[in-house]
């Protein structure tokens, strides 16, 4: 990292693109552009993941972050609004202050982070290496990430599928199965409850 | 100055995180808030993955050479395997740390689940209030409370 290697130049380029896209997301007012730029942000970060050797994360981010998230957001945008109403400047100072203070605190803690690419840092030297070694003799598949995800940490992945199921259930409860949420009425014995109320009143 | 150079990635990722956080705090449109949350989340993924990178490392996918001998993988590939051995028999292969990759894979999928719930709430709010701007919803609630008090 001490010289301008091609990998480092690629690093700088992708990070610069990410910063530009993030600032554009904050400044733009067209919701369509904002949602599409979020997909672009995910896609660029997927490219960056490949340059950082995280190939599994990269294709999950490209499929889920840039694909499904963008489709969900476009759907929600079509059901709601297309434009963001402008926020007056006086309402933006407090958030800016909080964000700057938080950022300063994180920059203060930056010196304690491990050096970039350091193989002997605590995060890289202990458990990850053991998983790689154990996969060679215990699981015997080439992809270590798959081995950890599906075997060593199988319960985590099971919990993840439960989270997805609960999220789907929540959406069905909120919006209804056939898109008539808010207009749905319970009909015990074939009678509309609201009609019973009206008969009682009359 | 060298500290900033060694931690260049982390510094930029902090800027990205704070940009996402600002979009969450400062915007009153709910979908824009969720986009900001998504940007914030992706930046946290970038932080974790930069920690797991090892200089000169390879993606954590084992080569045939290392799996050979346990008999579980590619028994028939004799010619290609022999050719591979001559190239890098002595060199120790370094892999990047696979553990943060696994954590972030889980986090990505859970993130899209929470995003979907949030968007469903936004759509439901729009059906009820006719708006997804927080100011207008607050004004509506205030008016509703006033009318309730006078009744």
């Amino acid at each position: 990292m001490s010289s301008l290697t091609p990998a480092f130049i690629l690093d700088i380029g992708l990070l610069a693109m990410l910063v530009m896209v993030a600032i554009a997301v904050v400044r733009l007012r067209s919701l369509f552009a904002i949602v599409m730029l979020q997909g672009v942000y995910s896609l660029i970060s997927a490219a960056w993941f490949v340059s950082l050797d995280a190939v599994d994360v990269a294709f999950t981010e490209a499929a889920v972050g840039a694909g499904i998230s963008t489709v969900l957001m476009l759907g929600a945008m079509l059901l709601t609004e297309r434009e963001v109403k402008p926020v007056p400047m006086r309402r933006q100072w407090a958030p800016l202050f909080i964000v700057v203070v938080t950022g300063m605190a994180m920059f203060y803690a930056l010196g304690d982070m491990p050096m970039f690419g350091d193989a002997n840092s605590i995060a890289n030297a202990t458990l990850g290496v053991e998983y790689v070694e154990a996969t060679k003799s215990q699981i015997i598949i080439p992809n270590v990430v798959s081995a950890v995800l599906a075997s060593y940490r199988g319960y985590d992945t099971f919990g993840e599928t439960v989270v997805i199921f609960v999220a789907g259930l929540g959406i069905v409860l909120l919006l209804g199965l056939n898109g008539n949420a808010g207009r749905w009425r319970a009909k015990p014995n074939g009678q509309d409850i609201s009609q019973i109320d009206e008969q009682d009143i009359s | 100055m060298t500290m900033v150079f060694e931690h260049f990635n982390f510094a930029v990722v902090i800027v990205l995180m704070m940009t996402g956080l600002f979009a969450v705090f400062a915007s009153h449109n709910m979908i824009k808030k969720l986009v900001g949350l998504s940007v914030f989340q992706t930046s946290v993924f970038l932080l974790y993955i930069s920690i797991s990178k090892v200089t000169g490392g390879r993606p954590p996918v084992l080569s045939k050479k290392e799996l050979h001998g346990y008999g579980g993988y590619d028994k028939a590939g004799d010619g290609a395997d022999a050719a591979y051995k001559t190239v890098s028999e002595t060199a120790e292969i370094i892999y990047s740390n696979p553990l943060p990759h696994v954590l972030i894979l889980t986090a990505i999928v859970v993130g899209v689940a929470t995003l979907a719930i949030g968007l469903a709430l936004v759509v439901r709010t729009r059906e009820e209030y006719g708006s997804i701007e927080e100011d207008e919803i607050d004004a509506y609630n205030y008016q509703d409370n006033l009318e309730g008090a006078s009744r």
Side-chain angles (χ1 to χ4, degrees):
Chain A
M1 283 292 286
S2 55
S3 62
L4 280 179
T5 57
F8 189 52
I9 293 170
L10 183 71
D11 209 47
I12 293 176
L14 287 174
L15 281 173
M17 284 163 78
L18 283 173
V19 170
M20 283 190 287
V21 170
I23 290 173
V25 163
V26 170
R27 291 189 59 84
L28 278 176
R29 281 182 49 203
S30 159
L31 261 185
F32 180 74
I34 289 172
V35 168
M36 292 318 287
L37 277 179
Q38 185 268 335
V40 170
Y41 188 88
S42 284
L43 210 58
I44 296 172
S45 56
W48 201 50
F49 288 151
V50 173
S51 81
L52 292 180
D53 294 345
V55 282
D56 300 83
V57 181
F59 71 66
T60 308
E61 179 69 33
V64 174
I68 296 175
S69 292
T70 310
V71 170
L72 284 175
M73 281 189 181
L74 280 178
M77 186 202 78
L78 282 176
L79 287 172
T80 52
E81 278 168 26
R82 312 293 165 89
E83 282 286 321
V84 177
K85 293 201 174 63
V87 179
M89 202 58 208
R90 62 188 165 78
R91 303 286 303 271
Q92 292 188 8
W93 289 118
L96 191 66
F97 177 72
I98 293 171
V99 162
V100 166
V101 168
T102 315
M104 296 288 269
M106 293 180 79
F107 268 107
Y108 178 70
L110 198 63
D112 292 339
M113 292 291 285
M115 217 179 81
F116 177 68
D118 185 9
N120 295 318
S121 67
I122 298 171
N124 290 339
T126 54
L127 198 55
V129 180
E130 285 173 23
Y131 273 125
V132 172
E133 290 303 320
T135 303
K136 287 177 191 170
S137 57
Q138 289 176 350
I139 313 290
I140 320 184
I141 59 167
N143 194 334
V144 182
V145 175
S146 300
V148 177
L149 192 76
S151 184
Y152 294 113
R153 300 263 170 150
Y155 281 116
D156 279 5
T157 310
F158 174 68
E160 178 189 329
T161 52
V162 171
V163 167
I164 299 287
F165 174 73
V166 170
L169 203 63
I171 291 169
V172 168
L173 288 175
L174 278 170
L175 296 183
L177 273 178
N178 44 7
N180 61 350
R183 294 187 294 277
W184 186 81
R185 294 283 179 271
K187 289 182 180 174
N189 303 322
Q191 271 185 310
D192 203 331
I193 291 181
S194 52
Q195 287 177 354
I196 296 175
D197 287 341
E198 284 168 13
Q199 286 166 3
D200 286 346
I201 292 165
S202 61
Chain B
M1 191 58 214
T2 52
M3 190 200 88
V4 172
F5 200 62
E6 281 164 3
H7 298 103
F8 172 74
N9 280 8
F10 303 123
V12 179
V13 164
I14 288 172
V15 172
L16 288 174
M17 270 196 244
M18 290 306 114
T19 315
L21 197 62
F22 181 76
V24 177
F25 282 165
S27 52
H28 293 171
N29 185 294
M30 287 177 173
I31 288 188
K32 193 171 174 184
K33 259 183 201 293
L34 284 172
V35 171
L37 201 63
S38 183
V39 167
F40 185 43
Q41 201 174 29
T42 311
S43 311
V44 174
F45 302 160
L46 295 175
L47 180 72
Y48 269 67
I49 299 297
S50 350
I51 291 174
S52 78
K53 166 76 177 170
V54 173
T55 308
R58 289 176 29 170
V61 178
L62 302 174
S63 63
K64 283 179 185 176
K65 191 189 78 173
E66 283 172 296
L67 286 171
H68 198 80
Y70 296 104
Y73 180 65
D74 195 33
K75 287 173 184 167
D78 299 325
D81 212 37
Y84 190 85
K85 268 182 187 173
T86 56
V87 172
S88 62
E89 196 165 16
T90 55
E92 180 73 21
I93 301 172
I94 310 170
Y95 295 108
S96 289
N97 189 359
L99 205 56
H101 301 183
V102 177
L103 298 178
I104 296 309
L105 277 183
T106 308
I108 289 174
V109 176
V110 171
V112 83
T114 52
L115 175 75
I117 285 278
L119 288 172
L121 281 170
V122 170
V123 171
R124 194 71 190 85
T125 308
R126 158 82 180 189
E127 282 176 358
E128 203 66 29
Y129 287 90
S131 169
I132 58 169
E133 300 281 339
E134 279 188 342
D135 298 351
E136 294 171 6
I137 293 169
D138 282 348
Y140 183 90
N141 279 340
Y142 182 67
Q143 195 63 32
D144 203 43
N145 285 341
L146 282 186
E147 286 167 7
S150 64
R151 231 182 290 160

